[in-house]
Amino acid sequence: MSQGTLKPVAQLLSIPVQAGVTAALWAAWLGWDQHRDVHPDGTTTGPYEAWQVIGLVLTLLAPVCWAAARRYFTGAVLGTTVGLTVAAFYDWSDDSSGLFVIGVGLVALGSLVATSVVTALIAAAMREA
């Protein structure tokens, strides 16, 4: 594979493709579970279980690694971040307190950092190979 830069159109197109895949994975893992569990003492948890979030994170590794291995670094990082942020905003925006914006911001920041680290590790491994 050539070490030159990829075509700008392909780089830009990778962003919405990755965002769409990410939003679809959010819908598959988290989109269907919308109720909170009420415990006997009156406290509530949810709507997501830990296994759902872990499943989402693990399945997101595949498209991020795929895009990064093909040198679509922008799509791997920004596409995933945009997809998760938009999905979280859409899913949580019915919160009347308005505090969902903080959660959406944390999803954006966390996904940006995590995808940047994964992409950097893949890029470093590709340079060594």
Side-chain angles (χ1 to χ4, degrees):
M1 179 184 273
S2 142
Q3 293 297 324
T5 59
L6 295 174
K7 294 180 181 176
V9 173
Q11 280 286 353
L12 289 176
L13 188 59
S14 70
I15 297 170
V17 169
Q18 189 76 9
V21 168
T22 301
L25 286 172
W26 176 288
W29 282 102
L30 305 178
W32 54 271
D33 191 1
Q34 299 297 317
H35 73 281
R36 295 191 175 276
D37 299 322
V38 180
H39 300 284
D41 63 357
T43 60
T44 60
T45 59
Y48 314 123
E49 299 292 330
W51 64 267
Q52 291 173 284
V53 177
I54 292 167
L56 173 63
V57 169
L58 291 177
T59 54
L60 276 174
L61 280 174
V64 169
C65 291
W66 183 89
R70 280 150 185 79
R71 299 178 44 231
Y72 294 120
F73 304 125
T74 307
V77 175
L78 293 181
T80 304
T81 301
V82 167
L84 284 175
T85 304
V86 168
F89 185 89
Y90 178 79
D91 199 14
W92 300 341
S93 63
D94 60 349
D95 176 36
S96 60
S97 72
L99 291 176
F100 76 95
V101 176
I102 295 171
V104 170
L106 291 173
V107 166
L109 182 61
S111 61
L112 181 65
V113 169
T115 55
S116 295
V117 168
V118 169
T119 301
L121 289 173
I122 291 172
M126 287 173 42
R127 276 193 301 271
E128 290 179 10

